Amino acid sequence: MISTPIHSSALARVTGVLLAVLLLAPAVQAEEEPRDRPIEKVLEPIQLTDRVWYFYGSLENRTPENLGFTNNTGFVVTDDGVVLIDSGPGYKVAGRMAKAIAEVTDQPITHVISVGSQDHRWLGNGYFHEQGAELVALARTAATQAERGEGQIMSLANAVGEDAMEGTAPVPAPNPIDADEHTLTVGGVDFKLIYAGDAHFPGDIMVHLPGEDVVFTGDIVYTERMLGIHPWSNPVEKLEAFRHLESIDPEIVVPGHGRATDLAEARQDTGDYLELLVREVKAGIEDWESLDEVVERLADLEAFQHLRHYDDWHRPNVNRTYLFIEENM
Ligand SMILES: [Zn+2]
């Protein structure tokens, strides 16, 4: 469990207490929260350490109420400016995010790190780039962004409305880093960018802040809700990335979706699920079980049925894991 950090200001103390309550709250209480937190709620930053904050995205699908902010993003207040971890679902929301950050600190936003290439991770890049922030991404991430950007903007506009997406253009990092690992240091804070394979989208990464004992996992970890495996996801590399996260053993995990938590809950909601999926699907294929047989055999996994969207996502996850492993074994 995360210990509540000692904060200097009253605001920070209140936020710390709220966070502790949030993290200690039993699953039942989470169930009672309104299912779709609107954008106004999402844009209230939550403090995790003296320097690290995050925006806790809606757990629901993309709607005109949440404007596609259904993922977590974060920001880190260094001595030389604010480093943003993912820029959110579009230009206008990015502007609102900047305002919310300005309530917390006077420091300008100097860098934006992309943890992934799914729409809501980076479509706000254009706003921050215009404001003079440096866009930071590994080459593989930026390549996927460039490839998918236009299509993502169109699909997202269908879900949240054209008006909400006004001003949004695909702006991947102009000078991406051609490496699997890279450390960016800003204002005395180290940000280790770690390539996580083609886990959820090709070119996903995690960002480790060793000095804060925090990892932003992007879509490697989901809490509270069922993770999604897409036709282009690599569930085996996703599990390997989770193992890597375990080897880092951070005190605080900020997942791609779902509240920030500790490694134990991340393991419960993501690591254990991925492990079971890969193990059982492999065993099924080795025993000549058909895709349908494996999907049926694994249909009811009690340990994970409490996760939101289980009914929508679990069967497709088994299905896609089967097809992936069959093709790559
Ligand atoms: Zn996601």
Side-chain angles (χ1 to χ4, degrees):
M1 186 51 62
I2 299 165
S3 58
T4 308
I6 298 156
H7 304 299
S8 44
S9 75
L11 169 69
R13 254 198 313 279
V14 170
T15 320
V17 170
L18 281 177
L19 174 68
V21 170
L22 202 65
L23 291 172
L24 290 167
V28 179
Q29 202 161 321
E31 221 64 64
E32 287 164 3
E33 284 169 20
R35 289 186 70 83
D36 194 9
R37 279 176 307 116
I39 188 71
E40 294 75 23
K41 192 78 195 151
V42 171
L43 285 171
E44 290 170 8
I46 298 173
Q47 187 167 24
L48 295 170
T49 74
D50 278 350
R51 292 184 183 279
V52 180
W53 301 69
Y54 86 114
F55 293 104
Y56 173 26
S58 163
L59 296 175
E60 293 309 315
N61 297 322
R62 295 158 178 79
T63 65
E65 286 69 46
N66 61 40
L67 299 183
F69 212 139
T70 58
N71 59 313
N72 297 332
T73 68
F75 63 96
V76 182
V77 183
T78 80
D79 296 339
D80 289 332
V82 174
V83 177
L84 195 62
I85 316 276
D86 286 336
S87 61
Y91 185 89
K92 279 182 168 174
V93 174
R96 293 173 68 175
M97 219 157 94
K99 259 196 194 134
I101 294 169
E103 301 271 318
V104 168
T105 174
D106 294 337
Q107 297 267 18
I109 297 165
T110 56
H111 296 78
V112 181
I113 301 176
S114 278
V115 165
S117 51
Q118 200 170 11
D119 53 3
H120 45 208
R121 301 225 160 271
W122 72 284
L123 289 179
N125 273 14
Y127 175 86
F128 296 104
H129 193 56
E130 248 177 49
Q131 303 289 313
E134 188 181 326
L135 303 179
V136 181
L138 297 191
R140 192 82 180 83
T141 317
T144 306
Q145 291 174 344
E147 204 176 288
R148 291 176 180 256
E150 295 287 357
Q152 289 178 341
I153 292 169
M154 279 197 296
S155 321
L156 192 52
N158 278 335
V160 304
E162 295 280 343
D163 184 51
M165 295 302 289
E166 206 185 286
T168 306
V171 185
N175 301 302
I177 301 146
D178 198 6
D180 285 351
E181 286 216 16
H182 176 77
T183 301
L184 170 78
T185 305
V186 181
V189 180
D190 284 345
F191 299 81
K192 290 178 79 172
L193 282 64
I194 305 163
Y195 181 61
D198 296 342
H200 191 62
F201 273 63
D204 283 342
I205 71 163
M206 298 191 279
V207 177
H208 178 205
L209 283 68
E212 303 294 314
D213 216 359
V214 174
V215 175
F216 284 86
T217 69
D219 286 321
I220 303 308
V221 176
Y222 286 42
T223 58
E224 299 182 86
R225 56 161 295 178
M226 173 51 71
L227 61 84
I229 292 170
H230 295 286
W232 50 82
S233 305
N234 182 331
V236 176
E237 285 189 359
K238 195 163 180 158
L239 177 58
E240 280 163 16
F242 190 83
R243 294 286 176 250
H244 189 73
L245 172 68
E246 287 181 309
S247 75
I248 296 171
D249 193 21
E251 189 183 4
I252 301 176
V253 173
V254 186
H257 302 262
R259 66 169 170 252
T261 185
D262 55 16
L263 192 56
E265 195 188 0
R267 194 180 285 125
Q268 248 173 42
D269 289 358
T270 289
D272 288 353
Y273 178 76
L274 283 173
E275 189 192 300
L276 183 146
L277 213 58
V278 169
R279 184 187 65 226
E280 291 301 320
V281 167
K282 266 188 187 161
I285 291 173
E286 277 163 10
D287 288 346
W288 300 98
E289 269 184 290
S290 70
L291 189 153
D292 288 348
E293 283 166 342
V294 173
V295 171
E296 271 321 308
R297 177 164 60 82
L298 301 179
D300 299 309
L301 301 181
E302 243 170 63
F304 306 105
Q305 271 164 337
H306 66 282
L307 297 173
R308 286 193 200 183
H309 307 301
Y310 178 93
D311 291 338
D312 301 333
W313 277 98
H314 174 57
R315 278 171 177 262
N317 285 348
V318 179
N319 193 309
R320 286 163 186 164
T321 302
Y322 186 101
L323 294 176
F324 179 86
I325 290 179
E326 191 184 38
E327 203 168 295
N328 294 280
M329 228 159 92

